[in-house]
Amino acid sequence: AQTVTQSQPEMSVQEAETVTLSCTYDTSENNYYLFWYKQPPSRQMILVIRQEAYKQQNATENRFSVNFQKAAKSFSLKISDSQLGDTAMYFCAFMPKGAQKLVFGQGTRLTINP
Amino acid sequence: DTAVSQTPKYLVTQMGNDKSIKCEQNLGHDTMYWYKQDSKKFLKIMFSYNNKELIINETVPNRFSPKSPDKAHLNLHINSLELGDSAVYFCASSQVGTDNEKLFFGSGTQLSVL
């Protein structure tokens, strides 16, 4: 069975600091996608960043970047220059290519303090 | 323009009632999903449909019956509602088999069973 584990239930940092959220996953698949979704208090699920397993280069989207370690099955999210609007639940997710099923981790509640 | 829209946003009802949640996507995607988010924020897939055909049914009680009249719509009907059905239900869609495969989510329906 494919599983995604986020070991940090909650994190809190000061505005402008850098924070890293951890994620590990377990799969026997070789071709898959990894995602980080953000869920602010509005409840909307917002895609933050996406990584394709066959790409060695780590994905980046403005202040958000990932550290993808395929052999270690690790996919951490780094948020640089954190902002108050980054306060949200963050979910790591995994999807085998063509599987039509996204498997989520338990989530990390991130609070950015002023 | 809302890409994935679901109605209603909030639903409060009594135990034993039957209710429906509607979902529509205007992205031209071929696959639609229902996810359940429990009180601990864990997101779990319930169903996925590809071109109106059921692909995944994750051991959901048969009181839950999805219906896909066309590939742009996936509705969820729930019979004989129970207290444990209280949760946030998310609809999502994706285009399977593309290089940019990812899920787009609706804003969620918060179901409260009293």
Side-chain angles (χ1 to χ4, degrees):
Chain A
Q2 292 142 350
T3 58
V4 178
T5 302
Q6 294 178 246
S7 58
Q8 305 148 313
E10 293 188 24
M11 295 188 74
S12 178
V13 297
Q14 296 297 120
E15 194 176 4
E17 289 183 348
T18 293
V19 60
T20 299
L21 309 183
S22 301
C23 173
T24 58
Y25 58 96
D26 186 23
T27 184
S28 57
E29 301 280 344
N30 192 48
N31 203 358
Y32 51 87
Y33 305 109
L34 293 160
F35 306 84
W36 279 97
Y37 278 86
K38 168 185 176 180
Q39 187 179 39
S42 66
R43 200 173 68 201
Q44 182 69 46
M45 292 291 289
I46 301 165
L47 178 64
V48 175
I49 202 162
R50 175 181 178 275
Q51 175 80 40
E52 294 157 14
Y54 66 87
K55 288 188 176 178
Q56 291 186 341
Q57 186 173 7
N58 289 324
T60 61
E61 286 288 342
N62 301 314
R63 297 182 295 108
F64 298 87
S65 61
V66 298
N67 183 1
F68 173 47
Q69 302 287 331
K70 190 172 183 180
K73 296 180 182 172
S74 169
F75 184 61
S76 61
L77 174 70
K78 185 171 87 170
I79 306 174
S80 303
D81 185 26
S82 57
Q83 300 174 0
L84 297 178
D86 296 332
T87 292
M89 283 287 290
Y90 285 82
F91 293 95
C92 179
F94 164 91
M95 182 167 70
K97 187 174 171 64
Q100 300 170 54
K101 175 180 176 178
L102 192 61
V103 178
F104 285 91
Q106 310 93 315
T108 296
R109 185 179 300 276
L110 175 65
T111 302
I112 310 298
N113 299 306
Chain B
D1 286 342
T2 304
V4 181
S5 59
Q6 54 182 109
T7 55
K9 288 193 184 328
Y10 298 94
L11 191 49
V12 181
T13 188
Q14 299 288 331
M15 258 188 351
N17 284 350
D18 302 339
K19 290 293 178 186
S20 293
I21 307 171
K22 295 186 175 181
C23 180
E24 176 182 3
Q25 54 97 3
N26 63 4
L27 297 166
H29 289 164
D30 61 1
T31 304
M32 295 185 72
Y33 310 79
W34 279 108
Y35 276 81
K36 179 180 180 180
Q37 186 173 41
D38 63 23
S39 58
K40 295 184 179 179
K41 301 295 187 183
F42 186 65
L43 280 148
K44 187 170 168 31
I45 190 167
M46 301 173 69
F47 302 102
S48 73
Y49 269 73
N50 180 273
N51 281 318
K52 303 191 297 176
E53 289 193 20
L54 179 67
I55 303 298
I56 290 174
N57 178 342
E58 286 282 311
T59 61
V60 178
N62 58 15
R63 297 183 296 103
F64 291 78
S65 52
K67 285 188 171 49
S68 183
D70 56 60
K71 73 173 191 176
H73 296 83
L74 180 62
N75 303 322
L76 184 65
H77 188 76
I78 315 170
N79 289 328
S80 303
L81 278 155
E82 300 177 357
L83 293 177
D85 297 332
S86 294
V88 179
Y89 293 84
F90 283 96
C91 178
S93 73
S94 71
Q95 183 63 34
V96 175
T98 63
D99 289 340
N100 195 27
E101 187 172 353
K102 55 193 171 189
L103 268 66
F104 292 80
F105 285 83
S107 56
T109 296
Q110 184 165 337
L111 172 64
S112 299
V113 182
L114 308 177

